[in-house]
Amino acid sequence: MNTQAPSPLTGLARRFVLDNLIEEQVARDAQKSSITNKIPFVSYLVQNQLADPKQLAYSASAEFGVPVFDLDSVSTEQIPEKIVEEKLIRKHHALPLFKRGNRLFIAVADPTNLQALDEIKFHTGLSTDAVLVEEDKLSSSIERYLDSQEQPLGDFDDGELGDIDIEAGDDTDRDDDASSDQDDAPIVKYINKMLLDAIKSGASDIHFEPYEKTYRVRFRTDGILHEVSKPSIKLAAKLAARLKVMSQLDISERRVPQDGRIKLKLSKTKAIDFRVNTLPTLWGEKIVLRILDPSSAKLGIDALGYEEAQKKMYLDALAQPQGMILVTGPTGSGKTVSLYTGLNILNTTERNISTAEDPVEINLEGINQVNVSTRVGLDFSSALRAFLRQDPDVVMVGEIRDLDTASIAIKAAQTGHLVLSTLHTNSAPETLTRLMNMGVPAFNIATSVSLIIAQRLARRLCNECKEEMSVPEQVLKEEGFTDEQIKTGFKLYTHKGCAKCKDGYKGRVGIYEVVRITPAMQELIMKEASSIEIAKQAQAEGFNNLRQSALKKVIDGLTSLEEANRVTKD
């Protein structure tokens, strides 16, 4: 039986095969897929890492006689503004580079894209010439250029915004009027852009800060604050008013702190909540937004960075019908995510789960969540008392702050309920002595607390740019690495920084001290032993402390020694 021979390759595909950049079958498959997905052939090859962008550019240049241009030599500020509409740039994956008289030079990665030149010529009325560039650089340059067209408020001339008037009147129900007023458009766009930029960059907090002569906006990304914008100080009151309107706060009240929330819908299925707090300062209201992403509670325990033994202890404690699990650490150390990860595991139709929080940070379907409010007399202890009359299986208390709350929580843990809560202490052993100092009887602590998790968050090294470094053996010993670890050998990495990360770090990883309360520890607690004695017992039983866990993350190449020292070294 005769089989029809495949049609010969033509154009760019043929050239790339002749130049040994890709194999013939790969070229045929890529051509079909690029047509199916409606993306340029070169873009498909680069996006799927089938060929080197630079080699493709020079091969295409030789085939079509179009010059190759280095996009790194042009900044977004040099590109003519708004000369080509965004939809055309995205549709044809083409970027206007510069204008010479009546000629417009267009950067493309695929010189066969003649439709792009014709359509841009029609819309601009200018003659168009193609300039060939590397596909990966074109993609990033297009995004940077389009981002720069959304003019940040810090770049506005004061005169442009001088007439904007968002006066904080006595009427607090002016949400629709305030948001629809055309004069507010630059303020509204600017704040919306700040919120979206914060989400895109993975920030946890946004700080809007007025000073005597300046105003700044900072994002906390991977635990570190970075300045991102400096709008005019003349706009401080207007920015505060807009944020307060969005948070449904009283815009006329500037003398006392206020708490509110903003819900930002990103799509039909995804929404981000912001917890908002205003603080009257010497030069105006400082406003901080905490970004609350409900999906963070559904990452799963494997994504949090627990070592296998630590994860097993946490899961075993969650599987118990009663007892108390305490999570401890400073503000911003990930305690809420750890607790909600546990609650998510427990969240089944067979369990009645209630939480008391100040305020509720993450909304979870199937869990009864209560916002405590001291103004109306609903504090942690009164909420906890109410829970115990509601036939609970699992109770979560946002924080144990006083003896009354601690006593009720411990009694609940002793009477057939699983209790989860947090304390502000530095380590697991200190948590036990903190409860004793509150006035909780040692016997009650020993018989109710089943597991303590102390935690920190360290910045995760960027896999794209981390660099190996050498450290003398003596220094490794001084840092706390064991002789066995040094003898076995491991690689140390340091941060460098690239286009895909922030200062060499991207994301964060949890560092944990997980301590199970064993019979030997119960005896120490009954004797009212110090945190130092309890820590020695924890070490004897093989529970890694925070420092040891941090060094383990360094050995695994997840973080740098410098970062481990920042979060765990005394």
Side-chain angles (χ1 to χ4, degrees):
M1 186 172 97
N2 292 328
T3 58
Q4 188 176 0
S7 57
L9 287 171
T10 58
L12 278 179
R14 174 179 170 276
R15 181 73 194 206
F16 293 159
V17 171
L18 289 175
D19 288 347
N20 294 318
L21 301 184
I22 51 175
E23 296 178 359
E24 184 174 344
Q25 189 55 48
V26 172
R28 293 186 186 280
D29 294 342
Q31 269 189 325
K32 290 178 185 176
S33 298
S34 66
I35 293 168
T36 303
N37 295 309
K38 296 180 180 179
I39 62 173
F41 177 54
V42 174
S43 298
Y44 183 86
L45 291 175
V46 174
Q47 288 174 15
N48 290 276
Q49 299 180 343
L50 297 173
D52 179 69
K54 190 171 184 178
Q55 291 179 339
L56 292 178
Y58 280 100
S59 179
S61 172
E63 177 71 11
F64 288 91
V66 179
V68 176
F69 185 82
D70 185 8
L71 269 179
D72 288 339
S73 65
V74 176
S75 67
T76 53
E77 291 80 10
Q78 295 173 284
I79 298 173
E81 292 185 8
K82 299 179 181 177
I83 199 166
V84 178
E85 294 179 7
E86 178 181 345
K87 64 179 181 180
L88 285 179
I89 292 173
R90 291 198 183 278
K91 176 183 176 182
H92 296 299
H93 200 58
L95 180 67
L97 278 184
F98 40 82
K99 182 173 172 280
R100 296 288 182 269
N102 198 41
R103 297 173 66 193
L104 182 64
F105 292 85
I106 307 293
V108 295
D110 190 336
T112 63
N113 191 6
L114 299 177
Q115 184 188 355
L117 300 178
D118 291 341
E119 196 166 346
I120 291 172
K121 179 180 180 180
F122 175 78
H123 280 271
T124 61
L126 301 170
S127 297
T128 53
D129 289 300
V131 174
L132 202 58
V133 297
E134 295 166 43
E135 160 62 30
D136 54 343
K137 290 183 179 180
L138 178 60
S139 296
S140 58
S141 293
I142 286 174
E143 291 305 319
R144 284 199 304 272
Y145 171 70
L146 293 177
D147 282 346
S148 71
Q149 297 307 291
E150 298 178 22
Q151 189 179 30
L153 210 57
D155 295 337
F156 276 103
D157 185 275
D158 285 342
E160 292 180 47
L161 294 171
D163 296 330
I164 296 176
D165 185 19
I166 311 178
E167 287 298 327
D170 292 330
D171 185 2
T172 58
D173 298 322
R174 293 177 57 228
D175 295 27
D176 292 337
D177 293 338
S179 60
S180 63
D181 191 340
Q182 290 185 353
D183 287 343
D184 299 351
I187 297 282
V188 173
K189 287 181 180 177
Y190 174 71
I191 289 179
N192 288 348
K193 185 178 189 305
M194 286 295 102
L195 301 187
L196 290 171
D197 285 353
I199 294 168
K200 286 179 186 175
S201 66
S204 60
D205 302 85
I206 313 171
H207 293 240
F208 292 86
E209 302 171 307
Y211 297 96
E212 183 178 8
K213 296 179 181 178
T214 60
Y215 193 101
R216 69 177 176 181
V217 181
R218 292 190 291 173
F219 292 170
R220 187 178 293 279
T221 308
D222 296 336
I224 305 295
L225 279 168
H226 303 277
E227 186 177 294
V228 294
S229 182
K230 294 194 76 169
S232 169
I233 185 60
K234 296 178 183 179
L235 302 170
K238 300 178 176 74
L239 291 167
R242 174 60 189 164
L243 287 164
K244 287 163 78 174
V245 165
M246 294 172 73
S247 313
Q248 297 185 326
L249 300 177
D250 184 354
I251 62 173
S252 65
E253 179 56 78
R254 301 185 183 121
R255 300 162 300 173
V256 296
Q258 297 185 66
D259 290 295
R261 290 179 84 94
I262 296 172
K263 193 176 194 72
L264 188 66
K265 288 189 177 180
L266 300 178
S267 66
K268 290 182 179 179
T269 57
K270 184 171 178 64
I272 301 289
D273 284 338
F274 296 84
R275 190 182 78 202
V276 184
N277 177 265
T278 71
L279 178 69
T281 67
L282 193 59
W283 306 110
E285 288 181 285
K286 173 174 177 175
I287 301 180
V288 176
L289 284 69
R290 166 64 60 88
I291 301 173
L292 309 171
D293 186 356
S295 62
S296 62
K298 299 178 182 178
L299 291 172
I301 195 167
D302 291 325
L304 299 186
Y306 285 95
E307 296 164 24
E308 281 302 315
Q310 294 175 334
K311 182 175 77 171
K312 185 178 186 305
M313 283 189 281
Y314 190 17
L315 292 174
D316 288 347
L318 289 170
Q320 298 302 313
Q322 66 183 47
M324 180 181 284
I325 299 172
L326 294 173
V327 182
T328 179
T331 301
S333 59
K335 299 189 298 295
T336 301
V337 172
S338 281
L339 281 176
Y340 268 95
T341 299
L343 288 177
N344 213 37
I345 293 169
L346 297 169
N347 189 11
T348 62
T349 54
E350 294 83 21
R351 292 189 180 95
N352 176 22
I353 303 175
S354 297
T355 74
E357 301 167 72
D358 182 20
V360 172
E361 293 195 8
I362 299 171
N363 298 324
L364 273 186
E365 189 77 22
I367 292 178
N368 309 292
Q369 297 169 283
V370 174
N371 256 329
V372 302
S373 174
T374 52
R375 286 181 299 175
V376 297
L378 180 61
D379 55 14
F380 283 120
S381 57
S382 57
L384 198 46
R385 286 191 184 94
F387 290 165
L388 295 178
R389 295 192 290 271
Q390 292 259 320
D391 183 32
D393 296 300
V394 180
V395 170
M396 195 268 270
V397 186
E399 184 184 347
I400 294 177
R401 296 176 179 171
D402 52 50
L403 177 58
D404 195 17
T405 306
S407 299
I408 301 166
I410 280 174
K411 285 175 185 174
Q414 291 173 328
T415 54
H417 307 96
L418 182 62
V419 179
L420 290 80
S421 190
T422 71
L423 265 86
H424 282 284
T425 57
N426 292 324
S427 67
E430 288 176 35
T431 303
L432 296 167
T433 54
R434 172 88 175 102
L435 289 171
M436 292 181 205
N437 292 337
M438 274 186 184
V440 180
F443 173 80
N444 286 343
I445 298 172
T447 55
S448 61
V449 178
S450 54
L451 189 78
I452 303 172
I453 301 171
Q455 66 180 78
R456 302 289 188 274
L457 287 177
R459 289 179 291 172
R460 188 189 291 265
L461 281 168
C462 172
N463 285 325
E464 299 292 329
C465 66
K466 66 181 182 182
E467 290 184 336
E468 193 174 337
M469 63 179 291
S470 59
V471 177
E473 186 175 313
Q474 183 58 36
V475 174
L476 293 177
K477 289 182 179 180
E478 291 171 1
E479 291 290 352
F481 292 98
T482 64
D483 291 334
E484 185 181 348
Q485 288 171 334
I486 295 170
K487 185 178 179 181
T488 304
F490 54 87
K491 292 181 180 179
L492 282 180
Y493 295 93
T494 186
H495 60 105
K496 180 184 177 185
C498 66
K500 295 185 178 180
C501 67
K502 188 79 173 176
D503 300 328
Y505 296 99
K506 189 175 183 181
R508 288 194 283 181
V509 62
I511 294 172
Y512 303 94
E513 175 185 20
V514 182
V515 175
R516 186 177 66 249
I517 305 304
T518 61
M521 282 192 193
Q522 287 177 329
E523 288 183 21
L524 285 175
I525 295 167
M526 296 283 285
K527 295 174 183 176
E528 298 188 8
S530 68
S531 60
I532 296 172
E533 293 173 291
I534 296 170
K536 285 180 181 177
Q537 182 61 36
Q539 286 288 291
E541 299 199 31
F543 301 126
N544 283 346
N545 59 29
L546 282 168
R547 181 63 180 170
Q548 291 165 333
S549 296
L551 295 180
K552 177 73 165 56
K553 294 290 190 296
V554 173
I555 292 171
D556 293 340
L558 295 174
T559 192
S560 65
L561 182 57
E562 179 185 347
E563 182 67 3
N565 287 341
R566 184 182 72 85
V567 296
T568 64
K569 199 167 186 180
D570 296 330

